[in-house]
Amino acid sequence: MKSFNGRVAAITGAASGMGRALAMALAREGCHLALADKNSQGLEQTLALIKASTLAPVLITTQVLDVSDRRAMEDWAARCVAEHGRVNLVFNNAGVALSSTVEGVDYADLEWIVGINFWGVVHGTKAFLPYLKASGEGHVVNTSSVFGLFAQPGMSGYNATKFAVRGFTESLRQELDMQRCGVSATCVHPGGIRTDICRSSRIDANMTGFLIHSEQQARADFEKLFITDPDQAAKVILHGVRKNKRRVLIGRDAYFLDLLARCLPAAYQALVVFASQRMAPKPRTPVLETNDEPRL
Ligand SMILES: NC(=O)c1ccc[n+]([C@@H]2O[C@H](COP(=O)([O-])OP(=O)(O)OC[C@H]3O[C@@H](n4cnc5c(N)ncnc54)[C@H](O)[C@@H]3O)[C@@H](O)[C@H]2O)c1
């Protein structure tokens, strides 16, 4: 797809971050939009921002939904076609983050992240695929992460969902190539992007003392790693769609970690353990009172 002008794009997670930036960039190019998010206030803000900054006469519809709800996603896809006449692009972008050890993670938290990050992408892909094929020229854009290429301690739930999105999308792309049906697929692997994801992420108490000092400090430290602007990320994603790329990396951090995982496909883990141990809180040596006898 060389131009987005006059096309129709459906975007999940459009109330914030990269979803909002994609919506604004596409609107500027004259692309009609169907925007979805669970956050109704954020969606309204996205709508207002587009209206204030875009001259192109584009039709924009919004839907409050939870991407982990399969029925809601199927209904939304049907509504998009009813309201816009067709859909050419779906950006399965909505996502959340979770930090916890494998041993300590609650099943409820795992189900939460898998429901959004993995099932949300599956629901969006399957609900829209028949309509993308019917449009004659379509594209599925699924957001994984650099953590879909590279694993880290304390991120097993996030890693699992993002590796799964990558496998799912790469397999989909191969099927679509074989079918020559006018639809393609791209998997997106952002590095650290300056969005709200950190604020909405869950950090389990079992991380404190293991990999982090405190939840508040961890959120602040993590945000320091967010080096790319969401507008720049949207630009890179749309360039990747135009070029029909299979994989899109965003940010120099993503390129570096991808290279590391390619050069040291298993051994990189030892480097991550070494670096994580250096950054982890040090076990405190108990302070002895003067009249305490050291216990042997
Ligand atoms: N920010 C980063 O550094 C980074 C890096 C790699 C990958 N990603 C991925 O990029 C995608 C976009 O995230 P972002 O960084 O823009 O974060 P963000 O928090 O700014 O935006 C995510 C959006 O998804 C929405 N959302 C969350 N759960 C939902 C649900 N159940 N149903 C519908 N909408 C839901 C949120 O309300 C929010 O508007 C996510 O998939 C994320 O995992 C982000």
Side-chain angles (χ1 to χ4, degrees):
M1 197 176 296
K2 299 294 170 211
S3 162
F4 301 114
N5 190 281
R7 311 279 183 196
V8 180
I11 307 173
T12 67
S16 170
M18 276 183 273
R20 175 178 284 173
L22 279 166
M24 294 186 68
L26 283 164
R28 279 194 294 274
E29 297 207 28
C31 184
H32 305 289
L33 298 170
L35 308 178
D37 204 289
K38 63 164 199 213
N39 172 358
S40 59
Q41 224 182 338
L43 266 184
E44 287 308 313
Q45 284 167 1
T46 300
L47 196 59
L49 283 167
I50 295 173
K51 283 186 179 156
S53 67
T54 309
L55 295 174
V58 292
L59 172 63
I60 308 173
T61 56
T62 57
Q63 180 66 50
V64 177
L65 55 67
D66 181 344
V67 294
S68 67
D69 180 341
R70 173 176 150 195
R71 193 60 191 276
M73 288 290 278
E74 287 168 352
D75 290 349
W76 176 52
R79 208 167 312 126
C80 290
V81 175
E83 289 169 343
H84 289 268
R86 68 191 182 291
V87 181
N88 301 99
L89 298 127
V90 62
F91 293 83
N92 291 304
N93 159 81
V96 289
L98 168 66
S99 288
S100 178
T101 62
V102 171
E103 194 178 12
V105 71
D106 274 348
Y107 275 101
D109 282 342
L110 271 182
E111 283 164 10
W112 169 73
I113 195 167
V114 173
I116 297 168
N117 288 11
F118 177 65
W119 282 111
V121 168
V122 175
H123 294 157
T125 302
K126 282 183 66 64
F128 279 92
L129 198 49
Y131 302 123
L132 300 182
K133 284 188 172 179
S135 77
E137 194 180 22
H139 210 108
V140 179
V141 186
N142 289 340
T143 302
S144 171
S145 165
V146 72
F147 290 140
L149 304 165
F150 178 95
Q152 273 224 307
M155 296 294 280
S156 57
Y158 192 76
N159 277 135
T161 60
K162 296 300 186 178
F163 272 74
V165 167
R166 169 185 161 199
F168 179 78
T169 310
E170 290 184 1
S171 175
L172 169 72
R173 170 66 184 251
Q174 292 163 34
E175 289 177 18
L176 295 171
D177 283 352
M178 289 170 74
Q179 291 168 358
R180 295 177 183 273
C181 58
V183 182
S184 192
T186 297
C187 193
V188 178
H189 299 272
I193 315 293
R194 276 192 297 278
T195 69
D196 281 345
I197 194 154
C198 217
R199 261 162 272 171
S200 64
S201 66
R202 293 186 185 176
I203 301 181
D204 204 307
N206 61 49
M207 293 294 287
T208 306
F210 174 53
L211 279 168
I212 64 173
H213 293 271
S214 72
E215 190 178 320
Q216 200 185 9
Q217 193 186 343
R219 288 186 198 277
D221 287 348
F222 208 52
E223 279 184 357
K224 285 186 201 145
L225 302 174
F226 291 179
I227 56 173
T228 305
D229 186 75
D231 292 332
Q232 176 60 21
K235 214 166 143 184
V236 174
I237 294 169
L238 296 182
H239 177 74
V241 175
R242 276 199 197 88
K243 294 277 177 196
N244 197 20
K245 288 195 173 178
R246 295 170 191 279
R247 177 181 290 186
V248 169
L249 300 177
I250 308 176
R252 59 180 190 276
D253 49 347
Y255 278 90
F256 172 72
L257 294 175
D258 177 48
L259 186 67
L260 190 64
R262 282 169 197 260
C263 295
L264 303 169
Y268 84 83
Q269 294 181 41
L271 293 179
V272 176
V273 170
F274 176 74
S276 302
Q277 276 172 335
R278 280 183 69 100
M279 287 186 289
K282 304 284 169 283
R284 288 211 187 110
T285 325
V287 181
L288 293 177
E289 296 293 329
T290 42
N291 49 1
D292 277 355
E293 287 296 321
R295 283 192 204 149
L296 299 173

